[in-house]
Amino acid sequence: MSIESVSLADDVFKSSFLEGKLSIDCVEIKLTQKGSPDPRVYSSAGFIRVDPEFGAEARLVFKRDPSNPYDPFASLMEMSSMRSGELYSESHYYRLEATDVVGNVWINPAVMPKFEARASAEILTFTCDHIETQISTDTKADFVHFVFPEDLKFPLNKSTNQTELVRGQERLSIKRTHSSGTVSGIQVQYHKCLIDTAGDSFELVALAKDNGQVPERFDERLLEAIRFCSATRALPVMSEVSQAGQRIVRLAKAAPLNNGLIPPPLSDLGASQDFYRLMGCYFDYACQNAKGNGGAQLSTKLEGLFTLKGVWLETIALLLCVATEGILDDPLFKPLGKPNATLMGLIKELFDWVKKAPVEQGLQNRALSSMGSMKSNRAVDKMYALVTAGALDEADVASWKFLRNPSAHGGLEIDEDKFQELLDQVYCLVTFIYKLTFLKIGYVGKFSDYSRRGWPSRDYDAPTLLKALGGETPTESTPEANFEVSASQPL
């Protein structure tokens, strides 16, 4: 099926893609070789077939140029020229520019085509994960429109009237079918894609209020916030972004969510106001901290945790511990737990004493090296400062200590009789990570406490806790005994 309108507001365009019937007729499909001083260029009319299962694919036939005679061994010679460890050189990739019959140019910066050599022709085929086009628009309001291949479990807080046929009689029912909320001044609507005959797709529309403007790359920042609040690596198969007089329409191959053990920070689907407040806080953080094409630092540390389906529990524990320490390296937490001037003076005296100890020089150096961390603050010192301020619970630190060293050194053993205890520690560490994130993004509202059986909802007030942290001053010592919790103690 050919396209008449390139917009997600067009149901024919949208349904054609989701049903695998979309083809883009092109007056020119142009492929330009990359990374070569004398790049090859292939150009032909044709069509590109696009669907969520395979992405974009095309097959083109070119009459052989007399300047490029048939050589059946050319491809073998090209492969043999590659060096060990080099899977694909840059010259294997081509830039796609396909101009459709309406004049839209669909691009992909790195396509790797396959060639079939014939005596009189070259047959070129390619597949790629996505294609996109940029279209000028006179739409005043900025917006983004996503279509996701799976349900992200937004809280449904809007109802619609539906008529059902029961034993030949019409019956009116009211069902919750939509989710709606405000994210940093942007109105967000989430609902099932009604034209998807398979019923698997869901749509999200985010519209700037009162024709307002939104931050640059706001679609990417919104996607970061969606991923955090849903604890998924959500990737839309269709997207349309309108900003600054331009619309970018992107069609992509579906990627499974692959969401595993890590639950979302707020699993109470009845707390829709808190859900959208949390999304707004993360969106604002991402807009302020993302750099260039990359996302915010928190996103890079967290998003890998949301795709751990089928991963061993030992590996999940290790990744959670690494993520915890990575977040604690943030400038917000770096000053916490540092020794003050008095303690630094005592540490210097201790170092001087070791230097004068009547032992061989090698032993002195070894002792001084092991004592070096006393001059700085370790991850655990920052944790104790957060416990003192009330930003963490003692059980959070205990779970990190329970899992950290055994998982890092391959000593974490799963005893079937104590599997639930280990699982409790893992979920406690998930809550630990979410609390650190709440502090960083300044969240006030409810969250799901996975450190307690039943996963109750609790309240978190990041601004108040940050004030307490600001007033926290390093003491002469932070005895770990004051915060020690037995690893076997029930949470």
Side-chain angles (χ1 to χ4, degrees):
M1 180 180 292
S2 299
I3 58 173
E4 299 296 333
S5 173
V6 179
S7 172
L8 271 67
D10 188 317
D11 286 348
V12 174
F13 173 68
K14 192 161 49 182
S15 62
S16 297
F17 173 77
L18 294 174
E19 294 172 6
K21 300 177 181 178
L22 178 63
S23 62
I24 303 175
D25 294 325
C26 298
V27 295
E28 181 186 40
I29 300 176
K30 182 179 178 182
L31 291 161
T32 305
Q33 188 180 26
K34 305 179 70 173
S36 173
D38 185 21
R40 299 176 186 175
V41 179
Y42 294 88
S43 178
S44 172
F47 71 89
I48 301 176
R49 184 176 180 274
V50 201
D51 64 53
E53 184 176 0
F54 299 105
E57 54 185 351
R59 180 181 178 89
L60 308 173
V61 180
F62 301 92
K63 186 177 181 180
R64 182 171 293 282
D65 193 311
S67 63
N68 181 26
Y70 175 58
D71 183 358
F73 301 104
S75 60
L76 293 176
M77 295 296 293
E78 187 176 0
M79 291 182 64
S80 64
S81 66
M82 297 181 65
R83 295 170 294 182
S84 297
E86 183 181 35
L87 187 59
Y88 297 112
S89 64
E90 188 180 2
S91 61
H92 278 72
Y93 294 92
Y94 287 70
R95 176 178 175 82
L96 168 67
E97 296 173 290
T99 305
D100 66 24
V101 293
V102 182
N104 302 316
V105 180
W106 297 85
I107 64 170
N108 184 298
V111 172
M112 189 168 65
K114 295 180 181 180
F115 296 92
E116 296 180 33
R118 298 289 187 270
S120 60
E122 285 186 280
I123 302 173
L124 182 154
T125 60
F126 71 82
T127 60
C128 55
D129 289 344
H130 72 274
I131 56 174
E132 66 178 42
T133 185
Q134 183 169 299
I135 306 169
S136 296
T137 180
D138 56 1
T139 303
K140 294 182 180 180
D142 294 340
F143 70 87
V144 62
H145 190 164
F146 290 140
V147 176
F148 296 99
E150 297 181 55
D151 187 6
L152 303 182
K153 306 296 184 183
F154 276 43
L156 301 180
N157 57 2
K158 298 295 180 181
S159 302
T160 56
N161 297 333
Q162 296 183 347
T163 301
E164 298 176 325
L165 197 63
V166 180
R167 294 184 179 180
Q169 300 294 323
E170 288 188 353
R171 183 175 66 184
L172 182 65
S173 62
I174 301 175
K175 293 184 178 180
R176 291 191 174 187
T177 56
H178 293 67
S179 183
S180 179
T182 301
V183 175
S184 191
I186 300 173
Q187 185 64 41
V188 175
Q189 300 281 346
Y190 176 85
H191 58 87
K192 197 170 188 177
C193 183
L194 299 179
I195 62 165
D196 181 11
T197 55
D200 298 326
S201 302
F202 288 77
E203 297 185 64
L204 183 145
V205 178
L207 178 66
K209 288 185 175 180
D210 303 322
N211 296 330
Q213 300 299 306
V214 292
E216 185 180 2
R217 296 180 181 272
F218 81 105
D219 55 311
E220 298 176 17
R221 308 291 81 84
L222 181 62
L223 197 55
E224 289 182 57
I226 291 170
R227 289 170 176 168
F228 174 70
C229 291
S230 63
T232 65
R233 188 69 167 82
L235 288 169
V237 291
M238 304 183 80
S239 67
E240 181 177 358
V241 181
S242 179
Q243 188 174 22
Q246 297 291 328
R247 282 192 305 118
I248 297 177
V249 178
R250 180 185 176 101
L251 308 176
K253 180 179 178 180
L257 291 181
N258 204 40
N259 46 318
L261 191 65
I262 311 303
L266 181 58
S267 62
D268 181 5
L269 296 182
S272 60
Q273 289 186 344
D274 295 275
F275 178 87
Y276 282 105
R277 186 184 302 116
L278 177 60
M279 188 181 294
C281 289
Y282 200 97
F283 175 78
D284 290 339
Y285 159 79
C287 289
Q288 296 166 10
N289 292 273
K291 296 180 181 178
N293 294 329
Q297 287 189 357
L298 266 179
S299 299
T300 59
K301 291 179 172 67
L302 292 173
E303 287 177 6
L305 302 176
F306 302 147
T307 58
L308 299 179
K309 185 178 181 179
V311 178
W312 286 6
L313 190 58
E314 298 96 320
T315 304
I316 294 175
L318 175 60
L319 293 175
L320 288 171
C321 290
V322 171
T324 303
E325 295 173 51
I327 297 173
L328 286 170
D329 273 339
D330 188 272
L332 175 65
F333 305 113
K334 274 195 172 183
L336 301 179
K338 282 188 175 181
N340 59 17
T342 302
L343 185 56
M344 286 297 290
L346 296 173
I347 293 173
K348 183 178 182 302
E349 291 182 14
L350 182 59
F351 270 69
D352 292 340
W353 181 86
V354 172
K355 290 176 183 178
K356 297 175 183 178
V359 295
E360 62 179 13
Q361 185 67 38
L363 184 58
Q364 283 187 11
N365 293 338
R366 187 172 180 180
L368 292 171
S369 177
S370 64
M371 294 163 55
S373 63
M374 297 176 66
K375 296 180 179 180
S376 61
N377 52 340
R378 304 162 298 168
V380 71
D381 297 321
K382 300 173 188 177
M383 295 177 193
Y384 291 145
L386 290 165
V387 171
T388 300
L392 292 177
D393 295 332
E394 295 179 12
D396 299 332
V397 182
S399 293
W400 178 83
K401 294 173 70 176
F402 180 92
L403 295 171
R404 202 283 183 193
N405 286 340
S407 62
H409 300 291
L412 185 62
E413 298 181 358
I414 298 181
D415 188 337
E416 292 185 3
D417 294 337
K418 298 181 179 179
F419 181 78
Q420 183 60 53
E421 179 186 337
L422 176 59
L423 204 58
D424 288 342
Q425 302 291 349
V426 168
Y427 279 124
C428 189
L429 198 51
V430 171
T431 307
F432 186 164
I433 289 173
Y434 284 150
K435 288 177 181 177
L436 294 179
T437 305
F438 298 155
L439 283 173
K440 184 61 184 174
I441 66 177
Y443 172 62
V444 178
K446 295 188 178 300
F447 72 100
S448 295
D449 187 357
Y450 300 110
S451 67
R452 303 184 183 189
R453 299 281 178 87
W455 297 354
S457 293
R458 292 176 60 194
D459 292 301
Y460 205 84
D461 188 345
T464 299
L465 294 169
L466 287 170
K467 288 181 181 179
L469 284 174
E472 187 266 343
T473 55
T475 57
E476 292 188 3
S477 63
T478 310
E480 296 191 10
N482 291 342
F483 300 95
E484 197 69 46
V485 179
S486 171
S488 61
Q489 180 176 338
L491 300 179

